[in-house]
Structure formats: C-alpha cells, structure tokens
Amino acid sequence: MSADLEKPVAGGGLLDRRLFLKKGLSFSVAALTVDSASAADWQQARSPWMNEPGEPFSNYGRPSSHERKTIRWVMANSMAPGNGVSWTPLHDLEGMMTPNGLHFERHHNGVPKIDPKQHHLLIHGLVDNALVFSVDALLRYPMTSFLGFIECGGNSNAGWREQPIQTQAGYFHGMASCSEWTGVPLSILLDEAKTKSGAQWVIAEGADASVMNVSIPLDKILDDCLIALYQNGERIRPENGYPLRLIVPGWEGVTHVKWLRRLRLTDKPVMARNETAKYTELLPSGKARQFSFVMEAKSLITNPSFGHQLAQPGLYQISGLAWSGRGKIVKVEVSADGGETWAEAALQEPVLAKCFTRFRIPWRWRGGMAVLKSRATDETGYLQPERETLIEQRGRHGYFHYNAVVSWAVSETGEISHVYR
Ligand SMILES: Nc1nc2c(c(=O)[nH]1)N[C@H]1C(S)=C(S)[C@@H](COP(=O)(O)O)O[C@H]1N2
Ligand SMILES: [Mo]
C-alpha cells in the first residue's frame, strides 16, 4: 500500500493525499545528512543566544523581528487616507485562522477612536420596545462563538482584468480573513425588543465618519447573526470594529457593519450607497444584480504561489484555503497540469461551515513547466467555476464577487507566476 501511495494520482506529478501519513518518507533534498562525527559537532555547537539570559517578559507579545515582512499591504487613497484596504498576506500564513494584527481592513472613512464608555447600540423602528444597550450591558448577555471568514465582495476583483495581475496571493485574494468571533446572538436582543409584524429588514449603521449603513433581511439576522465583542479571544481590534460589530456569517464583508451603533427594523431596504452604487453586479443583459449577499465557494493555492521560488525538483506539499458562504467545503481538487487531470486534496480538520478550510496535497515536481490550480465544492454541490465559465455567466463588466479558479504557472526554473488557463 505504501509503495502505491508514491504513484502519481493525476498528471504533472500529483500524489495521493495520504502520502504524508506514511512513515519514512524521504524529502531527499530538504534536510542535510550528517555522519556521526559531524553530528557530534552539531550537538556541541552553542549559538550565541544559548550563552546569556534571554529577554524578560512582556505585557503583550509581538511576532519575531525576523518576520517583519509578514504584514498587511496597505492600499489607500492618498487624498483620503482613511478610505482603502489593507490585505491579509495569505501567501505567508498557514493553518486556518488569521492573527488579529493581520486581519484585512476595509474602511470607508478611517478607524474611529471610540470610547467604549460612551458607545451605545440602539435597536428601534418596527419593534414594541426600542432599546439602548451600553457596551457593559452587552457584555453581560449570553454569548456564542462563530469561527468563520469575512470576505469583502470586492475581493479578488483583479481577476476581472484582461491580463492576469502579477502579485502575491494575499494582495490579490487577501480581502478575506478568518477569526473566532464571540458575542451576543441578535435573536436574543430582538426577542427583548419584540419585532412588530411587517418588520422584514434591519438597517445597520456604524459610528464611523462614513456612517456606513446597509440593509439586511430580518430572517438572516434572526438565523445566525451576532453582535461580536471579541475576536480570537481578545476584545475586537479598533480597525475591525471595536467595541462591537455585526457578524453576518457567510455574507459579503460590507454587511458586517463595524463600530455598530444602530439597528432599525423596517419593512423595506434603505437603498444605501453600498447596496445600489456599490456591491452590485452589472450582468451581460444590462441589468444589475443587487443584494447578492452570499459569498460563493472559492479556493486558492497559497503555497506555492506568486513570488515563491521552488528550490529544486522534488517532493513538495501544496497547501491552500477554501471557503464557502453557503456552508461547509466538502471537496477540494488540485491539478498540476492546468486542469487536464485533478486529484483530491486532504482537508485539515476541523472543517466548519462558512469558515476557512485548509487543504493540502503532495506533489512531486520533476522540474518542467506546470500549472497548479485548485477548485472547491461546497455542501450544496456548488463547484467553483473556471474563469471562462464565470465570464459566460456574469459578462466582462464585473467588479464584485469574483470566485473563479486561480492558476499559478511554474517555470522550468521554479518561478511562479499568475496565468489565466
Ligand atoms: N462602519 C463601517 N462598517 C464597515 C465598513 C466601513 O467602512 N464602516 N466597511 C465594510 C466593508 S466594505 C468590509 S469588506 C468589512 C471589512 O471588515 P474588516 O475591516 O474588519 O476586515 O467591513 C464592513 N463594515
Ligand atoms: Mo467590502
């Protein structure tokens, strides 16, 4: 059985996903081989940091100074520095969670400096009891956690360009991040406010200088939305909505209103800027698609990806992320021959609904040209489309909701570039 595992399962040298469970696997070039004499030398060698006491304790930890290149890439408007994006460096990360300091940011008018003692949440409109909550009051309500992604509807939109953009995976697809969000289910608060019959929409509004607002169907709010107060165990970072934000699992980023100050229940949507002029899609028919809330299944290989360099031919582990706003990822297939043949990748547990899922598959690179791709299937049976299929469905004037298969070309010398094929 173990010999079988080393036989390719698809073209271009893709191997069985269970190969890495096997013992005695040789990466041939990855480690140095040492004889017993030099092993003794290695054992005796004392690095300078073993000869003196280390640094003292710190109140709040930081990454190693050797990891200073792992940062968010900021893309902001020089005339209005509070409007723009910073991207999560997905190409430098592993696992499924995004560290708080690397969660992507999308602000329309900067990060407000909110004093939590002076911040309140108002719930009003079509309710029997209009309610105002202080942050301290909200902290006393029962909480639950949602582990999942937030993805901007504009993420990956460089994919609509005529020519493939040559940039790191995170600076192309990193308007998506994944955290554990903890807070109060909105169903509890709305139960207390008692919604009136006729209430069908909730208008959520933030306390930033853009006073951003969006309309969300009441059914979704009652189903699984949260007022989040914590992000990966600590209080939410200012840039991600401190002291509280709306979490709308699986729906586009703009619905997750940060610095939330108001929820108004109404019978119809408010037709805000971000649901009319923005976050809508012009279709080939000339009509625009509106309220396209759900983020459809997507995947991409993060390692290797653009900017990485394969050292030499040999065994590699291809690793990437897949997610779907409709539920769990059930399958990720990888191709090393530009989509001629596909092999199933291993999914790292836990596999959760509306959450980043890490996939991995072994690959033996023989040194020639290769095109690496991944495609995800979610639990509704939806298969991530090839770029041509997406363009057939949505036309060439798209800007939001780009989720096509991503292809990385490997050159004979091991450089990786972005291609459409
Ligand atoms: N109040 C407010 N909420 C907001 C925004 C904003 O500018 N103001 N940006 C929205 C957009 S477009 C996105 S994609 C997400 C980004 O969340 P993040 O910055 O925590 O990643 O927040 C949303 N919530
Ligand atoms: Mo967004």
Side-chain angles (χ1 to χ4, degrees):
M1 136 113 179
S2 61
D4 285 351
L5 287 180
E6 295 201 45
K7 290 205 188 112
V9 292
L14 283 175
L15 301 173
D16 192 294
R17 63 185 185 277
R18 295 163 302 173
L19 181 72
F20 288 127
L21 302 177
K22 194 183 113 183
K23 286 203 184 82
L25 187 65
S26 163
F27 275 77
S28 55
V29 292
L32 287 172
T33 309
V34 291
D35 59 24
S36 57
S38 63
D41 290 345
W42 279 90
Q43 184 196 330
Q44 304 259 306
R46 283 179 77 89
S47 308
W49 42 84
M50 295 174 75
N51 294 328
E52 56 185 47
E55 293 291 312
F57 301 88
S58 61
N59 292 111
Y60 200 98
R62 313 200 58 178
S64 160
S65 60
H66 299 282
E67 300 301 325
R68 286 207 182 112
K69 283 195 300 227
T70 301
I71 52 171
R72 293 193 281 227
W73 182 51
V74 178
M75 221 170 76
N77 182 333
S78 58
M79 303 292 283
N83 186 11
V85 177
S86 73
W87 305 75
T88 295
L90 298 174
H91 49 278
D92 283 333
L93 302 178
E94 248 297 336
M96 60 190 263
M97 306 307 289
T98 310
N100 286 347
L102 295 176
H103 195 287
F104 86 97
E105 304 163 277
R106 169 78 185 100
H107 320 307
H108 289 77
N109 202 356
V111 180
K113 285 192 192 140
I114 297 181
D115 173 358
K117 294 265 175 281
Q118 293 178 49
H119 185 82
H120 293 90
L121 171 64
L122 170 65
I123 299 185
H124 69 145
L126 292 176
V127 291
D128 285 342
N129 314 314
L131 300 171
V132 176
F133 300 87
S134 67
V135 176
D136 281 343
L138 285 170
L139 285 164
R140 289 179 44 202
Y141 276 80
M143 295 193 192
T144 60
S145 293
F146 163 69
L147 266 79
F149 70 85
I150 298 181
E151 179 179 21
C152 179
N155 193 29
S156 314
N157 64 12
W160 293 110
R161 296 185 191 182
E162 291 291 323
Q163 295 302 322
I165 188 173
Q166 299 304 332
T167 190
Q168 279 83 350
Y171 306 151
F172 175 12
H173 304 284
M175 266 199 267
S177 305
C178 186
S179 294
E180 182 194 38
W181 298 99
T182 301
V184 185
L186 261 170
S187 56
I188 297 184
L189 303 181
L190 287 182
D191 216 29
E192 209 169 307
K194 293 209 167 42
T195 53
K196 289 199 157 102
S197 68
Q200 282 181 32
W201 290 81
V202 177
I203 320 298
E205 182 186 87
D208 51 333
S210 76
V211 199
M212 209 204 71
N213 65 351
V214 292
S215 314
I216 301 164
L218 178 60
D219 287 350
K220 174 66 176 174
I221 291 279
L222 294 174
D223 179 29
D224 60 358
C225 293
L226 289 182
I227 302 290
L229 295 138
Y230 294 87
Q231 173 182 6
N232 291 329
E234 66 180 356
R235 295 290 293 277
I236 294 180
R237 293 284 172 96
E239 55 267 41
N240 303 113
Y242 183 84
L244 45 99
R245 86 176 299 169
L246 188 58
I247 292 292
V248 187
W251 286 25
E252 62 182 358
V254 72
T255 59
H256 300 237
V257 176
K258 301 191 279 190
W259 317 295
L260 185 70
R261 66 181 295 269
R262 194 155 77 96
L263 293 171
R264 181 163 64 92
L265 283 91
T266 64
D267 56 351
K268 49 180 176 299
V270 71
M271 296 298 179
R273 175 175 184 265
N274 281 310
E275 58 202 36
T276 51
K278 306 283 171 189
Y279 297 104
T280 58
E281 284 86 40
L282 189 59
L283 299 177
S285 64
K287 293 202 169 184
R289 190 174 77 154
Q290 237 188 321
F291 300 116
S292 44
F293 294 122
V294 179
M295 298 311 293
E296 300 288 359
K298 184 186 270 190
S299 72
L300 75 145
I301 294 169
T302 54
N303 193 6
S305 61
F306 176 91
H308 294 153
Q309 165 78 46
L310 303 184
Q312 59 249 100
L315 192 56
Y316 285 85
Q317 186 174 63
I318 292 175
S319 169
L321 290 169
W323 62 95
S324 164
R326 297 205 186 269
K328 287 184 188 174
I329 291 296
V330 292
K331 187 162 73 173
V332 177
E333 294 155 290
V334 172
S335 174
D337 55 10
E340 301 266 312
T341 57
W342 298 85
E344 207 173 323
L347 303 183
Q348 169 77 55
E349 295 290 342
V351 176
L352 303 172
K354 305 170 187 177
C355 190
F356 275 5
T357 299
R358 176 63 62 177
F359 66 86
R360 300 190 181 96
I361 188 167
W363 173 50
R364 193 178 303 284
W365 181 48
R366 296 223 155 78
M369 301 220 288
V371 174
L372 304 176
K373 294 179 172 210
S374 66
R375 64 180 187 199
T377 305
D378 72 15
E379 63 180 320
T380 68
Y382 175 93
L383 171 67
Q384 180 185 8
E386 285 285 349
R387 187 166 181 277
E388 279 168 28
T389 317
L390 187 72
I391 288 174
E392 259 165 47
Q393 292 164 354
R394 305 261 303 281
R396 293 205 158 265
H397 303 291
Y399 183 79
F400 296 103
H401 291 265
Y402 183 93
N403 70 324
V405 166
V406 179
S407 308
W408 304 120
V410 182
S411 75
E412 281 173 354
T413 47
E415 277 115 26
I416 316 249
S417 60
H418 178 213
V419 291
Y420 288 155
R421 88 180 114 104

